[in-house]
Amino acid sequence: MPPTAAASCPLLRRAPAAPFAALSGALSRSGMARRLVAASSGGGGRGPAYGGLLLDAGGTLLQVARPVAETYASIGRRYGVTKPEKGIMEGFKRAFSAPWPKTLRYQGDGRPFWRIVVAEATNCTDDDYFEEVYQHYAHGDAWRLPVGADTTLRELKDAGDLELSRFDAIVVSSEVGYEKPAPEIFKIALDQIGVETTNAVHVGDDETADKAGANAIGLECWLWGADVKTFSEIRDRILTTDDPQ
C-alpha cells in the first residue's frame, strides 16, 4: 500500500472476550454495544503507510483486568455458583458462539443476550447475580489498556496520525444495525473517516468477526495476538514507508 500524507484511525469495537464492554474516559459510552471508533488525523510529520487504522475495542484496545471466568466465579460465590472456572469459560465460549435468532445480539443494552450467556456459563439464573456481573463490566476499572497502547497512539498522532482522546467516528452496532463480520459496519467506519478500503488496515482479535469480516471486503486485517502482539508493532508497521504488501 502506498504511503499517504496523513492517516485517520478508526477503532472497531466488537464484543470482548469478557461478556460486557464499556469504554472508559474519552471512549466511554453505554456498556454492551459493539462499536467502531475513528481517531482524528493530525497534520505534518512523516507520511504513514496507511490512511486509516480500524481498531477493535474490546479484546484489542481494551482488555479485561482479570480473567472472565475468575470474575464470574468470584461474584458467583455469593449466589451459590460452584462451577469451576474452566467449565465457566467453556460455557461462556459455547453460549457466545451459538447462533442468535435475532438480527443483532447487542440491541439496546444487550441484556437479553447476556442473560443467556451468563446462565449458560455458570448454570445460575439468579437476576441479582446477573445484574452484579453486568454492572461490573459497565465500569472502567474492569478494563485495561494493553502495555504501550496510550504511548503508541500518541506517537502516531505526533507523526500525523492519531490522538487517543479524539476519534473521527464511533460506530456502534446497535445504532447502525450491523455487527461484525457484516461488511456494512466496516464500510460505515471507512466512509465516516473518508478512507478507501485499500488504504486502511483493521486490527482485531477474532478470526471470524475481525479478520474474515474485514478480508471479505478487501480490507487488510492484523489479528491481535498473532499478526501483531504489541501496539509498538502496530506503530512500526503503520509508520513504515515500505509497501506492506
Side-chain angles (χ1 to χ4, degrees):
M1 295 181 183
T4 59
S8 350
C9 173
L11 178 146
L12 180 60
R13 182 186 180 290
R14 69 171 185 86
F20 313 121
L23 301 182
S24 61
L27 302 184
S28 182
R29 303 278 289 242
S30 60
M32 296 302 105
R34 288 188 174 184
R35 68 191 69 181
L36 173 105
V37 184
S40 65
S41 60
R46 179 158 53 117
Y50 298 87
L53 168 63
L54 278 64
L55 284 172
D56 170 63
T60 303
L61 180 63
L62 290 175
Q63 299 177 4
V64 289
R66 63 173 177 163
V68 175
E70 180 183 323
T71 299
Y72 274 30
S74 63
I75 296 175
R77 291 188 190 103
R78 296 191 295 277
Y79 299 92
V81 173
T82 59
K83 197 172 184 180
E85 291 182 12
K86 182 179 179 181
I88 288 175
M89 201 63 218
E90 290 172 350
F92 174 81
K93 292 178 179 178
R94 184 171 57 249
F96 198 80
S97 62
W100 182 245
K102 299 180 181 180
T103 304
L104 296 175
R105 290 176 291 182
Y106 305 105
Q107 293 176 326
D109 60 10
R111 272 182 166 83
F113 170 68
W114 288 115
R115 284 185 187 279
I116 292 174
V117 172
V118 172
E120 176 66 26
T122 64
N123 295 333
C124 180
T125 58
D126 188 304
D127 286 342
D128 291 335
Y129 170 56
F130 168 77
E131 287 298 328
E132 186 168 344
V133 173
Y134 185 96
Q135 292 303 323
H136 172 82
Y137 285 107
H139 291 87
D141 57 4
W143 305 93
R144 64 175 179 83
L145 288 174
V147 174
D150 181 71
T151 299
T152 292
L153 293 177
R154 293 183 185 281
E155 288 177 354
L156 289 173
K157 183 263 183 182
D158 291 341
D161 302 333
L162 310 175
E163 183 175 351
L164 180 62
S165 61
R166 188 172 76 249
F167 292 85
D168 294 324
I170 299 178
V171 181
V172 183
S173 61
S174 61
E175 295 176 358
V176 300
Y178 301 99
E179 62 187 46
K180 296 181 299 176
E184 289 85 356
I185 194 167
F186 295 98
K187 292 176 181 177
I188 289 169
L190 292 170
D191 286 347
Q192 290 196 19
I193 62 171
V195 176
E196 296 294 328
T197 303
T198 54
N199 194 30
V201 61
H202 172 62
V203 180
D205 67 316
D206 188 275
E207 185 75 40
T208 300
D210 291 301
K211 195 152 197 171
N215 289 170
I217 64 166
L219 175 64
E220 185 175 359
C221 177
W222 302 336
L223 199 63
W224 178 258
D227 303 318
V228 289
K229 297 179 180 178
T230 66
F231 268 78
S232 61
E233 288 184 60
I234 295 174
R235 175 201 61 205
D236 292 344
R237 294 182 69 172
I238 289 174
L239 292 182
T240 181
T241 56
D242 297 329
D243 187 342
Q245 300 297 318

